[in-house]
Amino acid sequence: MNPFIQDFLHVTESAALATYPWIGTGNKIEADQAATDAMRTLLNRIPMDGKVVIGEGEVDEAPMLFIGEKVGTGNGAGIDVAVDPIDGTTSTSKGKNNAIAVIAVAKEGTLLHAPDMYMEKIVTGPEAAGKINIDFSLEKNLRIIAEAKGKKVEELKLIIQDRERHSHWVEQAHALGVRTELFEEGDVIPAIATCIHRSDADLFIGIGGAPEGVLAAVGVKSLGGEMQARLLPNTDEQWNRCVSMGLTSPNKALSHHQLVATDECAFIATSITGNMLLPGIENNQNAFTTHSIVLNGLDKCFRLITTEHAKPSI
Ligand code: VTB
């Protein structure tokens, strides 16, 4: 799959650039539509037999990049494709931080087909991979991470979305002397930040979207970290959707392997607005500059790509 990574980078860069006219304009739907159009057009030029497993919704609710949609030229390897043309549509429309265009790809049949509902997530970097457990208390996981990293518990940082549903975790962390970094929207980048040495985030926990969870799981796998999760269906309909997608016990903890069952995977994200790892799109006189993260499960390196896109001359 490696030869295609640059093709996927082109897809997220184009999706991000397509949102540029809509940043900070209050137009969420238009921004999402522009990113989705761009993503779909470019995905369909890639020589692969791709299938969207995480997308914009079911066929009847989303005309494009819906779950089950075939993408690519149809010739080439079978690939599971997870997309979020914009993670952070509200941030884009409000001109706030943390909006990205993101894609994850993996060998056919290896990505969890997660329905669109909430998911509880826990993520840490390579040092404590294999040691944390979503069923342990927050305190126990923090102590495990501190020991694995050779740090004191009070030296750890928990990164967590600023939501009322997370306040008990924030209080528990503070009671242990652990610092927190609260973010507003977009939980994919904060989750993978725990796996990057230059970031000081040690643990990510939270309840956010399941599709974003699978995307993050590919990024985390591609950096050697660990993610575990649990779907949180809260109606009979959501429960039944999990069952129909092949999950016989929908509320059971999911291992990293159940989220992404291969190392033959890649994660590509281009920032729209700035985030803790990347600046946002820059608009210079003759070019736009984009910043992207490009990861693959085979080499576990953290790669940043800066691209200058010349504006067409008039
Ligand atoms: C989550 C998270 C996303 O929206 O889905 C969140 O995974 C929704 O949370 O990255 P609320 O329902 O509390 O708003 C994002 O943050 C994207 O904006």
Side-chain angles (χ1 to χ4, degrees), residues 142-143 145-157 179 199-202:
L142 286 165
R143 292 200 185 283
I145 294 167
E147 195 185 331
K149 290 191 157 186
K151 285 183 172 180
K152 295 190 189 123
V153 168
E154 306 83 60
E155 289 168 342
L156 295 179
K157 190 195 257 189
R179 282 171 307 136
S199 132
D200 62 354
D202 298 291

Side-chain angles (χ1 to χ4, degrees), residues 198-255:
R198 68 154 86 154
S199 132
D200 62 354
D202 298 291
L203 174 67
F204 168 98
I205 52 172
I207 293 172
E212 290 87 346
V214 175
L215 284 156
V218 176
V220 172
K221 178 149 269 198
S222 302
L223 288 163
E226 174 153 17
M227 172 161 174
Q228 295 171 15
R230 181 184 285 108
L231 287 165
L232 300 172
N234 64 8
T235 60
D236 286 349
E237 195 208 329
Q238 289 192 345
W239 183 277
N240 294 335
R241 276 190 65 207
C242 293
V243 173
S244 70
M245 289 174 115
L247 298 154
T248 40
S249 312
N251 53 359
K252 250 183 94 180
L254 297 163
S255 67

Side-chain angles (χ1 to χ4, degrees), residues 87-88 118 121 161 163 165 185-187 208-209 212:
D87 178 35
Y118 280 121
K121 316 170 191 181
Q161 196 162 16
R163 292 293 188 273
R165 60 181 179 268
E185 299 286 340
D187 69 356
E212 290 87 346

Side-chain angles (χ1 to χ4, degrees), residues 3-272:
F4 299 141
I5 287 187
Q6 187 138 345
D7 294 338
F8 291 111
L9 172 64
H10 191 192
V11 176
T12 58
E13 287 178 346
S14 300
L17 284 171
T19 69
Y20 190 82
W22 304 107
I23 298 174
T25 62
N27 295 299
K28 232 163 119 156
I29 293 170
E30 289 81 352
D32 199 41
Q33 186 72 45
T36 308
D37 278 351
M39 222 178 225
R40 187 178 196 237
T41 303
L42 287 167
L43 272 175
N44 280 329
R45 292 188 195 154
I46 299 180
M48 63 171 174
D49 182 13
K51 189 169 98 181
V52 176
V53 298
I54 299 283
E56 290 282 89
E58 306 293 337
V59 61
D60 42 349
E61 31 181 82
M64 296 202 303
L65 293 176
F66 55 86
I67 297 168
E69 179 172 344
K70 288 289 211 174
V71 284
T73 60
N75 298 315
I79 292 182
D80 280 358
V81 180
V83 298
D84 199 351
I86 305 183
D87 178 35
T89 41
T90 306
S91 304
T92 306
S93 71
K94 291 187 175 172
K96 288 172 120 180
N97 278 347
N98 244 9
I100 54 169
V102 56
I103 285 189
V105 288
K107 207 169 90 176
E108 183 176 15
T110 57
L111 292 185
L112 179 79
H113 295 204
D116 193 3
M117 61 182 62
Y118 280 121
M119 175 187 257
E120 182 182 341
K121 316 170 191 181
I122 179 168
V123 184
T124 194
E127 299 90 338
K131 298 177 180 157
I132 57 155
N133 191 313
I134 194 169
D135 289 323
F136 291 164
S137 65
L138 175 60
E139 178 172 351
K140 185 163 176 181
N141 280 319
L142 286 165
R143 292 200 185 283
I144 288 169
I145 294 167
E147 195 185 331
K149 290 191 157 186
K151 285 183 172 180
K152 295 190 189 123
V153 168
E154 306 83 60
E155 289 168 342
L156 295 179
K157 190 195 257 189
L158 168 67
I159 186 158
I160 185 163
Q161 196 162 16
D162 194 3
R163 292 293 188 273
E164 192 49 44
R165 60 181 179 268
H166 299 155
S167 58
H168 61 295
W169 282 320
V170 173
E171 282 161 22
Q172 285 167 33
H174 289 164
L176 291 164
V178 170
R179 282 171 307 136
T180 51
E181 180 169 333
L182 299 171
F183 62 92
E184 277 187 54
E185 299 286 340
D187 69 356
V188 175
I189 293 290
I192 68 168
T194 57
C195 304
I196 292 162
H197 297 289
R198 68 154 86 154
S199 132
D200 62 354
D202 298 291
L203 174 67
F204 168 98
I205 52 172
I207 293 172
E212 290 87 346
V214 175
L215 284 156
V218 176
V220 172
K221 178 149 269 198
S222 302
L223 288 163
E226 174 153 17
M227 172 161 174
Q228 295 171 15
R230 181 184 285 108
L231 287 165
L232 300 172
N234 64 8
T235 60
D236 286 349
E237 195 208 329
Q238 289 192 345
W239 183 277
N240 294 335
R241 276 190 65 207
C242 293
V243 173
S244 70
M245 289 174 115
L247 298 154
T248 40
S249 312
N251 53 359
K252 250 183 94 180
L254 297 163
S255 67
H256 205 167
H257 188 76
Q258 285 172 293
L259 298 166
V260 190
T262 182
D263 278 339
E264 280 184 60
C265 58
F267 170 98
I268 304 100
T270 300
S271 59
I272 296 170

